[in-house]
Amino acid sequence: AATGDRSWIEVEPSFGVIQSAPELVRISVDRGAFSNNGIFRGSVRFESNSGQRRYVTIIVTVEEQPRSMGTWDEIVLEENYYIRSEELTMTETARLRTRLHLAGWPGDYGLELFIMDPMQVTRYINGLSYSYMWHDVVIQTGTHNLDTPNPFEVGTRFVLLVDNTDYGLVETDFDGWNDTALFSLELLTLP
């Protein structure tokens, strides 16, 4: 397992390389640094039980994983209703991914997702014209990864809103059948 911060990594003896070469007792980074794009360049020291040392130059790419900003589990959203998140603030510059698992959807129109600034959400709620930062529509059940095309800057305040009303861009059908959406959702930042 790697320990330490991004400028120093030490590999413990339980690491897979050591299991296949039991004479190695320690692998550690001798010199090196991470660049801003997550690539480590440096020298690694391999030390054996007998004290012998070998040096190998390595290049390692570190892939940052998406980070969760919040989840909604097992939401039941009836026709003519919406649900919104609390106000969120970007702590890093990143694109956003909304991972939506739509388990039930009898509607023949689209369930809408919006990212709006808080003022525009108020306008939406009050039935006034509004703008949005991002919008997508889902018309089928299943798991959908919906990504914003551009990153949001640090400090950007926003609200995620899921719409099953006529307030959105897609009108519901009000055909006497309650088109209820059953879904779970996770909001992620993409590095």
Side-chain angles (χ1 to χ4, degrees):
T3 60
D5 61 28
R6 287 173 57 120
S7 60
W8 182 77
I9 298 173
E10 182 175 335
V11 181
E12 301 295 333
S14 62
F15 191 68
V17 171
I18 293 171
Q19 290 172 356
S20 64
E23 70 278 2
L24 292 175
V25 295
R26 182 180 167 111
I27 302 173
S28 60
V29 173
D30 188 50
R31 293 177 299 280
F34 279 93
S35 62
N36 289 337
N37 59 1
I39 296 176
F40 176 84
R41 295 177 192 275
S43 175
V44 175
R45 180 177 63 212
F46 294 87
E47 189 174 333
S48 70
N49 287 330
S50 63
Q52 292 181 326
R53 293 181 179 168
R54 304 264 191 256
Y55 290 90
V56 176
T57 300
I58 63 165
I59 298 174
V60 177
T61 301
V62 177
E63 182 178 309
E64 292 187 49
Q65 297 297 314
R67 285 188 280 284
S68 180
M69 293 186 76
T71 60
W72 292 339
D73 293 319
E74 300 178 4
I75 301 296
V76 177
L77 186 62
E78 294 186 4
E79 188 170 4
N80 204 32
Y81 288 87
Y82 65 88
I83 186 171
R84 56 167 283 183
S85 70
E86 61 187 21
E87 186 176 309
L88 301 167
T89 303
M90 294 297 291
T91 58
E92 61 183 315
T93 298
R95 293 183 309 125
L96 293 173
R97 167 172 289 164
T98 304
R99 181 171 295 143
L100 174 74
H101 178 71
L102 188 55
W105 180 241
D108 57 359
Y109 56 90
L111 184 68
E112 296 180 87
L113 293 93
F114 291 92
I115 293 177
M116 299 178 181
D117 72 41
M119 183 179 74
Q120 296 305 319
V121 172
T122 300
R123 294 183 63 81
Y124 164 93
I125 291 169
N126 291 324
L128 303 172
S129 64
Y130 58 88
S131 61
Y132 49 87
M133 305 160 120
W134 172 82
H135 172 258
D136 212 330
V137 179
V138 176
I139 58 173
Q140 299 180 35
T141 58
T143 300
H144 307 273
N145 287 315
L146 310 169
D147 298 348
T148 61
N150 299 312
F152 291 91
E153 297 295 323
V154 171
T156 300
R157 295 174 26 237
F158 67 94
V159 172
L160 174 66
L161 186 141
V162 179
D163 173 84
N164 192 8
T165 73
D166 282 344
Y167 291 162
L169 306 179
V170 176
E171 290 189 4
T172 59
D173 58 12
F174 292 114
D175 57 2
W177 179 261
N178 185 357
D179 295 318
T180 301
L182 306 172
F183 66 92
S184 297
L185 178 147
E186 183 174 20
L187 184 64
L188 304 154
T189 60
L190 298 176

